[in-house]
Amino acid sequence: LEVGDQGSYRAQPLQEPSDTARTGDLEVTLSRPDTLRAGEEARLVFTIRQGGAPVSGLEPYLGANGHAVVLRDGDLAFLHSHALEDPSALKAGQLPFMVHLAEPGRYRIFVQFQHRGTVQTAAFTLPTVIGGGSSPSSGGHTGH
C-alpha cells in the first residue's frame, strides 16, 4: 500500500515470503509450521536477535509482551493477537503467538514488541494458506 498526498493509494504486491526481517538493529526470525491451513490455529514464534544473540529484556507494550496484526491479501480481512505469556520464551528473546487464519490466501503479518523503551515493528509475508481445517478452539482477538 502506498498512500499519496491527497489520501489516494496505489496497491503494491505483497513481498515474497521470508522468515527473516529487520527492524532497527534487530533481526527477527519467524518459526512456523511448514503448511498453514485455513480454519486451524497455527503457532508462530518470533525470535529477536541483536548481533546474532537472542535479546533479553523485552518489555510489555500496551498490556502484552507483543502484538501481531495479520492482514489477508485482497480484502484486508484482519486479526489481532497477543503474544502468549511465557516467561521462558521471553528470556530466550522469543514471542510465541497462536493465530487462526480463517480463509485460504496470502497474509501479511506485522509483529510489534518493545525493547529498551522503543517499540519495534517487523513485517512478514506468510506463504499461501491452503484450504481445510476446522473452527478455532481459542485464539487471538479478531476484528480490532
Side-chain angles (χ1 to χ4, degrees):
L1 180 69
E2 184 177 293
V3 178
D5 294 333
Q6 303 297 320
S8 62
Y9 72 94
R10 184 170 33 117
Q12 300 292 311
L14 286 180
Q15 294 177 356
E16 288 302 311
S18 174
D19 292 335
T20 304
R22 294 203 65 83
T23 176
D25 64 346
L26 302 174
E27 180 181 81
V28 182
T29 304
L30 168 62
S31 298
R32 57 173 174 73
D34 289 336
T35 302
L36 297 169
R37 295 185 184 281
E40 295 181 0
E41 283 190 314
R43 182 179 175 90
L44 306 179
V45 179
F46 298 89
T47 302
I48 299 106
R49 293 184 176 87
Q50 187 173 41
V55 301
S56 59
L58 293 175
E59 303 157 344
Y61 170 60
L62 297 176
N65 292 330
H67 299 265
V69 172
V70 186
L71 301 165
R72 188 171 56 226
D73 188 27
D75 64 4
L76 300 181
F78 74 97
L79 69 89
H80 171 248
S81 181
H82 292 157
L84 301 173
E85 299 292 328
D86 184 346
S88 63
L90 283 179
K91 290 179 184 175
Q94 295 181 335
L95 293 173
F97 291 84
M98 294 301 292
V99 297
H100 177 261
L101 304 171
E103 299 290 332
R106 287 176 38 121
Y107 288 80
R108 186 76 168 159
I109 184 167
F110 299 88
V111 62
Q112 285 192 312
F113 57 91
Q114 185 165 291
H115 180 247
R116 295 186 177 160
T118 301
V119 175
Q120 302 285 342
T121 303
F124 298 84
T125 300
L126 296 177
T128 300
V129 175
I130 62 172
S134 59
S135 62
S137 59
S138 65
H141 304 293
T142 57
H144 74 275

